[in-house]
Amino acid sequence: MPGQPLKSIQIEGFTSIRSATVELRQLNILVGANGAGKSNFVQALALLGRIVDGELGLFVGLNGGASALLTDGDGTSRIRLELDADPNSYEAVLVPAANDELIFETEVVYYHEPKYDRPYSKSLGHGHRETRLATETGGPRGGIAKYVFALLEGCKVFHFHDTSADAPVKRTVSTADNLTLRPDAGNLAAYLYRLQTSDAAADQAAYRRIVGAIQLVAPFFRDFVLQPENNDRIRLRWQQQGSDAVFSANQMSDGTLRFVCLATLLLQPELPALVVLDEPELGLHPFAIVQLANLLRQAASRSQVLIATQSVTLMNQFEVDDLIVVERRAGGSTFSRPDAAELEAWLAEYSLGELWEKNLLGGRPAREDFDQA
């Protein structure tokens, strides 16, 4: 989505999100209580990414089936997703089918020029199990579908929480798997190796920035040791300052390893169009969280960034205009942006995190009134 960022996303009937329209800016910080719906919003973006990859069925199966994803899992509801990146939009309506699957009731792409009263729309059909975007990109109106295809491809949700002994980031990987960083950082070693050995100045500069960012958080870190093994496989290894010993990823603390993944993602030469992270602060020292905020702001100058967080330390690094407050009302998730003018006097004396703790921003645990549903 170069030059035309995502303006908004509409979600209906997905888990706790009965109906919501969320306007997006360059930097978006979702805050709210446990169970409010932050992760469900992130999951909806992950669903869009799986749709464009032709993996709707896989996503549904891995997440408990259609009944687990529908707001009302009684077989009568549907999920509607719409992305608006003016002048192009994409809409998908998913309905339950046999075997607890989801299929497309409708799939439509739109193009709207200001000089026309109504947008041009093209239906991609009904009843299909996987998206038809890829088959439409070569047609006479393929330019619209092609743009929307790229829009959805740019929605990337990254999770670096798994640092167990058998985590993907700690396994060997083919050196050929180096084009983009995987959402679970499973090809981190191969990707860093490409940047390290590339002839491109941008790749080399990115590698140096990544190493420098890690050294700020982990001063003992010297550099990566990236050498292909048999059959062009590679694993993540590193050295510390003042020693020639080589260590494996298993000998790096969980927090440090997560920060390595985050720094690589946010400092890479070409970012996805929309970078999405759910609670990226997990396991990080407060100083590392401050450095993470700096990386997020830098990334937001090159791409759109959306994170969900519960960290007061992380929230304190941003502006009130960056926040999206998520609350649960009558069993459903709501999304709103705080009024900066109303909070101006408070912000003169308190940080955002302090205002959140004082419940002046909302997004705190509260008893639900189901009579208002």
Side-chain angles (χ1 to χ4, degrees):
M1 348 192 242
Q4 294 174 319
L6 187 61
K7 290 177 60 178
S8 67
I9 176 171
Q10 296 182 40
I11 305 171
E12 295 178 10
F14 182 78
T15 58
S16 68
I17 307 174
R18 288 199 173 95
S19 180
T21 299
V22 181
E23 294 183 359
L24 298 181
R25 300 171 183 171
Q26 283 301 114
L27 181 59
N28 306 272
I29 313 296
L30 291 175
V31 298
N34 289 330
K38 302 185 303 297
S39 294
N40 290 338
F41 186 82
V42 169
Q43 191 181 31
L45 290 169
L47 170 57
L48 287 164
R50 287 299 187 101
I51 283 176
V52 77
D53 290 339
E55 295 179 345
L56 171 61
L58 177 61
F59 178 91
V60 172
L62 291 175
N63 286 277
S67 57
L69 297 174
L70 293 159
T71 297
D72 299 311
D74 57 5
T76 62
S77 60
R78 62 196 61 200
I79 295 170
R80 178 177 172 271
L81 304 166
E82 182 174 343
L83 290 179
D84 179 17
D86 190 34
N88 297 88
S89 301
Y90 171 80
E91 180 184 19
V93 178
L94 305 171
V95 295
N99 300 318
D100 208 20
E101 296 178 334
L102 288 174
I103 61 173
F104 286 87
E105 181 180 70
T106 60
E107 187 177 23
V108 186
V109 294
Y110 299 92
Y111 177 75
H112 191 191
E113 285 190 4
K115 62 182 179 180
Y116 298 120
D117 292 335
R118 296 181 179 180
Y120 167 83
S121 63
K122 179 176 178 59
S123 172
L124 305 186
H126 314 274
H128 43 293
R129 282 180 165 77
E130 299 292 348
T131 181
R132 290 179 177 169
L133 276 171
T135 61
E136 292 291 330
T137 56
R141 289 283 185 173
I144 301 174
K146 183 176 182 179
Y147 180 87
V148 171
F149 188 89
L151 173 68
L152 268 68
E153 264 194 327
C155 293
K156 296 295 183 184
V157 178
F158 294 85
H159 290 281
F160 305 139
H161 299 168
D162 187 1
T163 53
S164 62
D166 193 39
V169 70
K170 296 181 179 181
R171 303 173 193 163
T172 62
V173 63
S174 169
T175 55
D177 187 4
N178 62 13
L179 298 181
T180 59
L181 185 67
R182 285 193 212 161
D184 62 0
N187 65 337
L188 178 65
Y191 186 75
L192 286 169
Y193 179 65
R194 179 175 74 80
L195 296 182
Q196 185 189 60
T197 59
S198 172
D199 292 330
D203 289 347
Q204 295 175 11
Y207 181 82
R208 291 193 296 270
R209 287 194 296 270
I210 292 166
V211 170
I214 297 167
Q215 289 173 340
L216 280 176
V217 169
F220 56 84
F221 176 82
R222 189 167 97 192
D223 202 351
F224 296 104
V225 178
L226 302 168
Q227 297 178 357
E229 302 172 0
N230 295 333
N231 301 317
D232 287 326
R233 308 285 294 181
I234 194 168
R235 70 176 68 242
L236 190 67
R237 296 187 296 177
W238 59 283
Q239 286 182 306
Q240 65 180 18
Q241 301 284 357
S243 172
D244 291 330
V246 176
F247 300 95
S248 70
N250 280 309
Q251 294 168 287
M252 185 176 282
S253 73
D254 292 350
T256 302
L257 183 56
R258 290 191 186 109
F259 189 85
V260 167
C261 298
L262 290 164
T264 303
L265 167 66
L266 298 172
L267 293 173
Q268 63 182 298
E270 295 184 13
L271 283 165
L274 175 64
V275 177
V276 184
L277 289 159
D278 192 6
E279 298 188 358
E281 74 278 359
L282 288 181
L284 298 186
H285 184 276
F287 179 78
I289 292 176
V290 174
Q291 300 309 310
L292 170 61
N294 292 333
L295 296 182
L296 290 167
R297 282 193 294 270
Q298 291 177 41
S301 68
R302 300 189 289 138
S303 176
Q304 280 187 291
V305 174
L306 183 145
I307 69 166
T309 183
Q310 295 191 88
S311 169
V312 171
T313 302
L314 186 58
M315 194 188 311
N316 281 338
Q317 312 308 311
F318 299 107
E319 304 295 330
V320 66
D321 289 339
D322 300 326
L323 297 189
I324 300 173
V325 178
V326 188
E327 297 187 279
R328 192 174 178 96
R329 294 175 180 165
S333 300
T334 65
F335 301 80
S336 62
R337 288 188 181 271
D339 188 326
E342 291 182 358
L343 296 169
E344 185 176 359
W346 288 100
L347 288 168
E349 297 187 33
Y350 299 98
S351 69
L352 276 183
E354 288 172 326
L355 294 189
W356 190 35
E357 290 178 318
K358 293 176 181 295
N359 203 25
L360 293 171
L361 298 176
R364 304 290 290 176
R367 186 179 299 275
E368 298 180 58
D369 184 357
F370 288 90
D371 292 336
Q372 301 300 316

